Amino acid sequence: LWRGFRLIGWAELVALAGAFALVGALNVALVHLLFVRLVKHGMAAVGLTLCYAGSFAIWMYSSIFETYAFSALTTTLFLLLWFRSRRSVTPVRMGGLALLVVLCALAHPPLLVLLGIVVIEWLRTWKQRNGIATLGGALLLIALSAGAFVGGRFMLRYAYMDATDELATRSVTEEVADAGAMIDTYADTDRMTWRNVGNMVLGQCLY
């Protein structure tokens, strides 16, 4: 997106801001489709969409250069497609959802938790196939998602970093450890204490 805006003559910072704004707008459009599916009432969906678009996290992080806009977009897309595929659990659909989880996690590693939704949905329909196929499919989803996630992080590093940069030459073990440290930082259950209830409510609900 940034390169596209640069090609039409936009200044570098304006092009970057435009790319983030476009990602934010696309996310809001997809959120509206999600609300339409959930509430089944046009005006209610519009109202919820306006509240979402006006929330601090969405308009603020769509206005600065932060990966939140991308994680919000990919998570919205995942939820939208998950609701559409719940009644038809097939290997192709579950594989597609797992791929979306990888995209979510590349924007924000703690979103790997969404893979649990895919695996549980696959296991929930175990009566449609034998036990070995069900368990094997779940393990395959996890293995392929993990491999795609690590591979995607390497691709991003090589695409945006000089080959001599220390971060661009990490091993797989170091890459996994780095992602694990980020997940611990953002999704540490030790933070879920009564002392932090106010912060969690304010941060997750109001913002």
Side-chain angles (χ1 to χ4, degrees):
L1 291 176
W2 174 79
R3 289 188 175 93
F5 288 137
R6 289 287 288 155
L7 286 175
I8 62 176
W10 289 16
E12 185 172 350
L13 286 179
V14 175
L16 192 58
F20 275 84
L22 185 59
V23 169
L26 180 58
N27 176 45
V28 171
L30 291 177
V31 162
H32 179 66
L33 295 179
L34 181 61
F35 285 146
V36 167
R37 186 175 185 85
L38 290 176
V39 301
K40 307 295 184 181
H41 190 283
M43 290 306 298
V46 170
L48 289 171
T49 303
L50 291 175
C51 289
Y52 179 87
S55 64
F56 176 85
I58 297 304
W59 66 260
M60 173 61 75
Y61 289 115
S62 297
S63 306
I64 61 176
F65 312 137
E66 221 274 345
T67 59
Y68 183 89
F70 295 96
S71 59
L73 173 63
T74 52
T75 301
T76 300
L77 184 59
F78 169 83
L79 291 174
L80 187 62
L81 295 183
W82 178 65
F83 277 111
R84 290 176 60 89
S85 64
R86 292 188 66 187
R87 297 184 183 276
S88 179
V89 179
T90 65
V92 173
R93 288 180 180 270
M94 294 299 100
L97 287 174
L99 179 60
L100 274 176
V101 171
V102 172
L103 293 178
C104 292
L106 289 175
H108 189 53
L111 290 175
L112 277 173
V113 70
L114 295 176
L115 184 61
I117 297 176
V118 180
V119 173
I120 290 173
E121 194 70 20
W122 173 261
L123 294 176
R124 189 178 62 82
T125 58
W126 63 272
K127 291 182 180 179
Q128 298 178 8
R129 62 191 77 84
N130 61 58
I132 295 178
T134 299
L135 183 59
L139 294 176
L140 184 61
L141 281 172
I142 295 172
L144 291 179
S145 299
F149 171 68
V150 174
R153 283 176 65 93
F154 273 112
M155 289 177 62
L156 289 174
R157 289 192 185 279
Y158 288 130
Y160 292 100
M161 293 182 180
D162 189 88
T164 60
D165 193 305
E166 180 181 357
L167 291 177
T169 57
R170 285 175 180 259
S171 66
V172 173
T173 302
E174 291 173 327
E175 194 65 42
V176 171
D178 181 66
M182 184 178 294
I183 293 173
D184 287 339
T185 299
Y186 285 93
D188 188 355
T189 56
D190 291 340
R191 300 179 184 272
M192 300 179 67
T193 63
W194 281 113
R195 175 177 291 183
N196 287 332
V197 166
N199 291 332
M200 288 190 291
V201 172
L202 184 66
Q204 301 302 321
C205 297
L206 178 59
Y207 286 171

